[in-house]
Amino acid sequence: AQSVSQHNHHVILSEAASLELGCNYSYGGTVNLFWYVQYPGQHLQLLLKYFSGDPLVKGIKGFEAEFIKSKFSFNLRKPSVQWSDTAEYFCAVTADFGNEKLTFGTGTRLTIIP
Amino acid sequence: EAQVTQNPRYLITVTGKKLTVTCSQNMNHEYMSWYRQDPGLGLRQIYYSMNVEVTDKGDVPEGYKVSRKEKRNFPLILESPSPNQTSLYFCASSSLAGGYETQYFGPGTRLLVL
């Protein structure tokens, strides 16, 4: 079965700082990877996804993520964060085409200080 | 407007009193799913459904039931709720053709079991 680890539980940054949130997955086969964001009091929204092809994926709001197969990682990055990026971020994985079981990481709370 | 609706949004109940949380989507999506969100544990999938009359267990199905008699509805049933089912519940739907790119989450149902 697949699993996802997010080692950063709470990250605090100042505005304009660069961001990198870690995500590692465990699964021996082909995977699809996702980052979701949950703003305070709201439901989850998809930031970006990786299915195949270019391992550097660009998403909404200036976020990007890089899939490194050899490291089983899919870290989320943003060069310059804004106060409005304050939210909880979840990495998720689903393994194999046709397997619709989506496994989430425990989430990383991001707080941006103005 | 494309949306996933859940009712009720907030519910306080007592141990053992059967309850149902409804979920409905207006996008003709094949895939629907239920998650629970708990602090420090992220989102965990309870059950999912690939289409009408097709359901399967997620990571934490114990104590829950689901049904998919109609494509638009996917109710979550707690036959005998217990305090450890106090949580925030999200329903989600997506088109299988679009994969998780088109996954929509409902607004959440906050459940307290006394």
Side-chain angles (χ1 to χ4, degrees):
Chain A
Q2 66 265 30
S3 65
V4 180
S5 296
Q6 292 180 248
H7 302 294
N8 310 110
H9 298 295
H10 191 188
V11 173
I12 302 173
L13 294 172
S14 298
E15 274 193 318
S18 64
L19 169 72
E20 181 160 2
L21 300 182
C23 172
N24 288 90
Y25 68 92
S26 174
Y27 185 73
T30 304
V31 293
N32 302 315
L33 295 153
F34 309 84
W35 275 99
Y36 286 86
V37 60
Q38 185 178 32
Y39 297 105
Q42 296 189 26
H43 55 81
L44 275 80
Q45 301 172 43
L46 182 67
L47 268 181
L48 49 80
K49 65 175 177 65
Y50 172 80
F51 279 4
S52 63
D54 189 342
L56 184 61
V57 180
K58 294 194 184 299
I60 61 172
K61 303 178 188 284
F63 286 92
E64 64 178 31
E66 185 175 12
F67 172 51
I68 303 179
K69 190 174 181 180
S70 60
K71 295 185 178 180
F72 297 90
S73 70
F74 191 56
N75 292 353
L76 181 71
R77 300 195 293 246
K78 186 171 184 178
S80 176
V81 295
Q82 301 171 307
W83 177 79
S84 57
D85 293 324
T86 295
E88 191 151 16
Y89 293 80
F90 294 93
C91 183
V93 63
T94 183
D96 296 330
F97 177 77
N99 177 354
E100 300 295 339
K101 183 178 174 183
L102 185 62
T103 300
F104 283 85
T106 54
T108 297
R109 188 192 308 174
L110 175 65
T111 301
I112 305 301
I113 301 170
Chain B
E1 180 190 353
Q3 61 181 355
V4 178
T5 56
Q6 295 178 226
N7 283 293
R9 295 288 313 280
Y10 303 92
L11 179 60
I12 301 174
T13 189
V14 295
T15 299
K17 186 177 181 181
K18 181 180 178 179
L19 67 91
T20 299
V21 183
T22 64
C23 172
S24 183
Q25 50 93 3
N26 63 359
M27 296 163 280
N28 201 36
H29 285 164
E30 294 87 3
Y31 178 84
M32 298 185 74
S33 180
W34 276 103
Y35 300 88
R36 59 177 289 174
Q37 183 178 14
D38 302 290
L41 298 176
L43 279 85
R44 293 177 292 169
Q45 193 173 45
I46 303 171
Y47 269 94
Y48 63 95
S49 170
M50 303 275 282
N51 214 323
V52 176
E53 302 291 1
V54 180
T55 63
D56 208 346
K57 296 177 181 178
D59 293 312
V60 288
E62 294 79 18
Y64 304 94
K65 284 176 57 178
V66 292
S67 69
R68 189 87 183 273
K69 293 184 171 58
E70 303 167 282
K71 199 171 186 180
R72 64 182 293 124
N73 297 322
F74 190 46
L76 179 69
I77 303 156
L78 284 71
E79 293 271 3
S80 183
S82 61
N84 65 14
Q85 292 178 297
T86 291
S87 187
L88 177 58
Y89 292 86
F90 287 101
C91 180
S93 76
S94 70
S95 163
L96 288 179
Y100 290 100
E101 183 173 8
T102 54
Q103 181 156 204
Y104 291 82
F105 280 81
T109 295
R110 193 169 290 279
L111 172 66
L112 173 61
V113 183
L114 300 173

